[in-house]
Amino acid sequence: MATPSDRAPLTEQVEQLLATKGPLTIVAAGDPALRRPAERFDGQLDPALLARFVEALRITMHAAPGVGLAAPQVGVGLRIAVIEDPAPVPEEVRLARGRVPQPFRVLVNPSYEPVGTSRAAFFEGCLSVPGYQAVVARHAEVRLTGEDEHGRAVDEVFTGWPARIVQHETDHLDGVLYLDRAELRSLSSNQAIAERWAEPTPARAAEALGFELP
């Protein structure tokens, strides 16, 4: 359990962030906050402040817009992330990527492990690396463990695009950016994605840009 002296700096930091109404500022790649492993949440924020912080993360994620946001992305080094994906995609994309709607949920102290050996590679972006996407091969199915914002245990298997989201956000809590796992030959601007690679899979991009898919 965090001591009062441990709590104070984080409490003050979060209170200061929440003093300004509206979406929080998302820090960009190059900020050290994104490269430090986050501290395990152990009551550093009281329940009321935690609820306010989670709501601010939700508002910020929606405004960006994105399908996930981790506390380090707003400069707070706690193992907390939020995810939500309405999955407004065409049927062919849904089938190719396994992208299905995910309700809003809070991940506290999450960790994941692969289920099986299957991997899937798709273009992926990040709110902290604006303007670009790259192909990342990730586990197709993972078991996520941790807690929710009320301290209740989470132990769930995710597949398809939801598995990608929880891996991406949990990686943030370990100081890992998606670019660390990406095929860098695939790195493309959002404009190039829209003009050239807006397809359900990156197969044509792999052939044209010269990289292999799993």
Side-chain angles (χ1 to χ4, degrees), residues 140-207:
E141 188 172 13
V142 296
R143 178 186 178 190
L144 185 83
T145 56
E147 305 155 22
D148 67 11
E149 68 272 37
H150 304 295
R152 296 177 297 221
V154 172
D155 188 341
E156 188 172 341
V157 172
F158 290 81
T159 60
W161 205 258
R164 180 170 297 270
I165 294 171
V166 299
Q167 288 173 82
H168 181 115
E169 299 309 327
T170 302
D171 279 356
H172 270 303
L173 305 180
D174 294 327
V176 174
L177 293 178
Y178 86 100
L179 289 175
D180 299 333
R181 303 189 185 279
E183 170 51 69
L184 291 184
R185 290 185 70 92
S186 72
L187 185 65
S188 303
S189 68
N190 285 346
Q191 181 177 349
I193 294 289
E195 293 176 353
R196 295 176 179 273
W197 315 128
E199 300 171 350
T201 77
R204 196 167 62 85
E207 181 178 358

Side-chain angles (χ1 to χ4, degrees), residues 90-123:
E91 181 70 3
E92 62 177 345
V93 173
R94 183 187 70 79
L95 292 173
R97 302 179 186 177
R99 187 169 177 182
V100 294
Q102 286 293 298
F104 177 75
R105 59 195 301 170
V106 183
L107 308 178
V108 177
N109 300 325
S111 62
Y112 66 82
E113 59 184 27
V115 176
T117 59
S118 180
R119 294 173 70 80
F122 294 101
F123 275 105

